[in-house]
């Protein structure tokens, strides 16, 4: 048993793979992952990144499923039962599991709720925002957010919004995976008392 403490900004080290990746930089080894190598069509997404300094790397992927599974395979069920994590919905569960396993946070939007251009930008005005955990907060000071029609749908690197969140009936999702400059998002979870 290894008892290890992490600072809040190192969620990427909560998994064995995350630790291996970190140690690999020090001990000069690299863990190889199996990647999907089939054909992926280009995604036609109306997205503008107005904050490249905050987020220099971002990718989006559409995933559509025909039938939502009633149960998960044993390794997924173990993730929820052994860690005491609450199941939400298929897409949120999968991205939470991957974030834990490989240290790469992701966010899923219900694709049917994305009707217009998405923009990542910096805001400085006070704005009310309802999170996907039904908590309404007031953003203040400088924040980086994703917007749709000038309405905040995601507090960048922290938590998505209720307006575009996935549910038990979601079968078509837009998955976002991004790298945010740590200095631009540090302290936001604590400031707004958001835990996911």
């Amino acid at each position: 048993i290894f008892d290890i403490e992490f600072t809040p900004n190192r969620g990427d080290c909560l998994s064995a793979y995350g630790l291996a990746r970190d140690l690999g930089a020090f001990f000069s080894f690299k863990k190889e992952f199996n990647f999907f190598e089939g054909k992926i069509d280009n995604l036609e997404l109306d997205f503008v990144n107005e904050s490249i300094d905050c987020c220099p790397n971002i990718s989006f992927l559409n995933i559509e499923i025909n039938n939502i599974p009633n149960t998960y395979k044993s390794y997924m069920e173990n993730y929820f039962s052994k860690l005491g994590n609450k199941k939400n919905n298929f897409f949120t569960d999968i991205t939470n599991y991957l974030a834990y396993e490989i240290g790469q946070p992701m966010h899923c939007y219900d694709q049917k709720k994305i009707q217009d251009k998405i923009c990542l930008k910096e805001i400085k005005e006070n704005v009310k925002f309802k999170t996907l955990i039904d908590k309404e907060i007031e953003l203040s000071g400088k924040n980086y957010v994703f917007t749709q029609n000038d309405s905040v749908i995601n507090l960048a690197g922290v938590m998505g919004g209720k307006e575009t969140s996935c549910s038990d009936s979601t079968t078509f999702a837009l998955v976002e995976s991004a790298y945010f400059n740590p200095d631009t998002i540090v302290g936001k979870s604590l400031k707004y008392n958001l835990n996911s």
Side-chain angles (χ1 to χ4, degrees):
I1 296 173
F2 295 93
D3 187 2
I4 307 171
E5 291 185 13
F6 298 106
T7 54
N9 64 323
R10 292 312 306 268
D12 57 314
C13 286
L14 288 175
S15 69
Y17 284 134
L19 281 173
R21 185 170 55 191
D22 234 38
L23 292 171
F26 185 73
F27 290 107
S28 301
F29 72 89
K30 186 174 182 181
K31 164 71 180 158
E32 296 295 331
F33 292 99
N34 293 324
F35 292 101
F36 177 76
E37 295 183 7
K39 184 179 183 300
I40 298 177
D41 295 329
N42 285 335
L43 178 61
E44 296 295 328
L45 179 67
D46 194 359
F47 170 71
V48 175
N49 185 351
E50 293 182 5
S51 299
I52 292 175
D53 289 344
C54 159
C55 180
N57 297 305
I58 186 165
S59 297
F60 292 93
L61 176 71
N62 270 145
I63 299 177
E64 187 168 14
I65 59 173
N66 294 324
N67 299 305
I68 299 170
N70 294 323
T71 58
Y72 299 136
K73 292 196 174 182
S74 59
Y75 63 88
M76 281 283 293
E77 290 293 347
N78 286 341
Y79 162 74
F80 292 103
S81 63
K82 289 186 177 177
L83 295 176
N85 288 352
K86 178 185 166 199
K87 292 181 187 176
N88 294 287
N89 57 71
F90 176 74
F91 289 103
T92 303
D93 291 346
I94 295 296
T95 53
N96 284 345
Y97 172 75
L98 289 173
Y100 181 81
E101 277 296 300
I102 64 173
Q104 176 57 58
M106 287 172 268
H107 180 69
C108 288
Y109 303 89
D110 186 321
Q111 178 63 67
K112 292 179 181 174
K113 298 175 183 174
I114 301 295
Q115 305 295 329
D116 295 288
K117 177 171 75 177
I118 299 175
C119 183
L120 171 60
K121 63 183 180 181
E122 176 188 309
I123 60 170
K124 294 180 180 173
E125 66 270 16
N126 290 11
V127 176
K128 287 193 176 175
F129 169 60
K130 190 167 189 179
T131 69
L132 54 77
I133 57 172
D134 277 327
K135 181 176 181 179
E136 185 169 86
I137 59 174
E138 184 165 355
L139 303 178
S140 60
K142 183 166 78 169
N143 292 283
Y144 290 92
V145 297
F146 289 86
T147 62
Q148 177 176 239
N149 288 330
D150 291 323
S151 176
V152 175
I153 60 171
N154 189 339
L155 177 57
V158 180
M159 188 173 289
K162 188 72 174 176
E163 181 185 334
T164 56
S165 66
C166 293
S167 69
D168 289 335
S169 60
T170 302
T171 57
F172 190 25
L174 177 66
V175 182
E176 165 231 313
S177 180
Y179 168 78
F180 296 99
N181 183 331
D183 292 341
T184 62
I185 61 172
V186 69
K188 298 298 182 183
S189 294
L190 190 60
K191 178 179 179 179
Y192 298 116
N193 192 25
L194 294 174
N195 298 298
S196 63

